[in-house]
Amino acid sequence: MQDNAVDPVAHNRAAWDKYAEQGDEWSVPVSAEEVERARMGDWSVVLVGHEPVDRSWLPTDPTGKDVLCLASGGGQQGPILAATGARVTVFDNSPGQLGLDRMVAARDGLELRTVLGDMRDLSAFGDAAFDVVFHPVSNLFVPDLAPVWRECFRVLRPGGTLLAGFLNPDGYLFDHEALDERGELIVVHKLPYSDVARYSAEERATKFGADAALEYSHTLTDQIGGQLAAGFVLTGFTEAPHHSNASAPYLSSYFATLAVKPG
């Protein structure tokens, strides 16, 4: 089945606004103490799960670098990178998430810009506007990835880098309730998976809650091959187990790539 009446941008904007109100783990802003430590050079940011990014993937000195935190609202990565001296723009689909970034910036005297929009459309920015695109796990909330990678390539300067985190699509094989409630890995879904293709609106409301964000699995061809097709050269790769669910002992739930726009 396919619910063609669903607008994933509008639906997920409302969902993430609610998550931000409820204090979802990705909507808990960094503390003033963390920001101050970042100003002193003691900092880390996460791209997948709770694993700090390898600092060699980021500029040795971020001062003055133009960084786009893509689909990365929530008052977490953007403020920390701004505290290092980078010129940060946080782009996100949720006004509530962006509001948390602005709150931290006001609280701690950070220069940080926020822009609302769909990660597949970065027309708010000109070509070659950024040195770094920092894109933590979030592209599961859009049904197609090719526009994301094309836009990332366009807005990066030659020699610029894309840091992207994403889910292992195999995680979508498993029954959600069995995994979360009983710690059981029961294969029930064919891949690629999407909430709107697998369940009706009524079924989604019963299974996940009426206000839950819509999710879409993406093949590694779309994730990694899509970056290559956009023109990127991959120079780094890592993986990590899920930070909280029962799949952690069995498979890597997160992948991350470092890609360069050729100069």
Side-chain angles (χ1 to χ4, degrees), residues 8-9 12 70-71 118-122 133 135-154 162 164-169 172 192-194 214-232 255 257:
V9 175
N12 286 343
L70 179 60
D118 176 358
M119 69 183 84
R120 296 170 295 177
D121 178 7
L122 303 182
V133 174
H135 181 44
V137 178
S138 56
N139 65 31
L140 67 155
F141 299 116
V142 293
D144 52 330
L145 295 187
V148 177
W149 306 134
R150 287 197 301 266
E151 283 289 81
C152 286
F153 190 86
R154 180 184 65 79
L162 165 67
F166 48 91
L167 291 181
N168 180 345
Y172 283 99
Y193 165 91
S194 84
L214 299 173
E215 297 188 14
Y216 306 81
S217 81
H218 299 292
T219 66
L220 295 182
T221 297
D222 288 339
Q223 295 281 16
I224 296 174
Q227 293 182 50
L228 296 172
F232 284 106
F255 299 138
T257 52

Side-chain angles (χ1 to χ4, degrees), residues 25-26 48-51 137 167 240-248 253-254:
E25 67 176 316
W26 306 118
V48 292
H50 291 171
E51 295 285 331
V137 178
L167 291 181
H242 197 280
H243 62 286
S244 63
N245 79 28
S247 68
S253 287
Y254 298 113

Side-chain angles (χ1 to χ4, degrees), residues 13 16-21 26-30 72-76 78-79 90-108 110 112-117:
R13 178 170 293 174
W16 273 100
D17 280 350
K18 181 155 288 190
Y19 293 161
E21 291 176 5
W26 306 118
S27 305
V28 178
V30 294
S72 180
Q76 297 182 356
V90 181
F91 185 94
D92 199 275
N93 184 39
S94 163
Q97 288 286 88
L98 292 175
L100 295 169
D101 289 281
R102 290 193 295 272
M103 180 276 290
V104 176
R107 182 193 70 196
D108 299 327
L110 298 170
L112 181 149
R113 178 170 60 145
T114 62
V115 179
L116 179 69

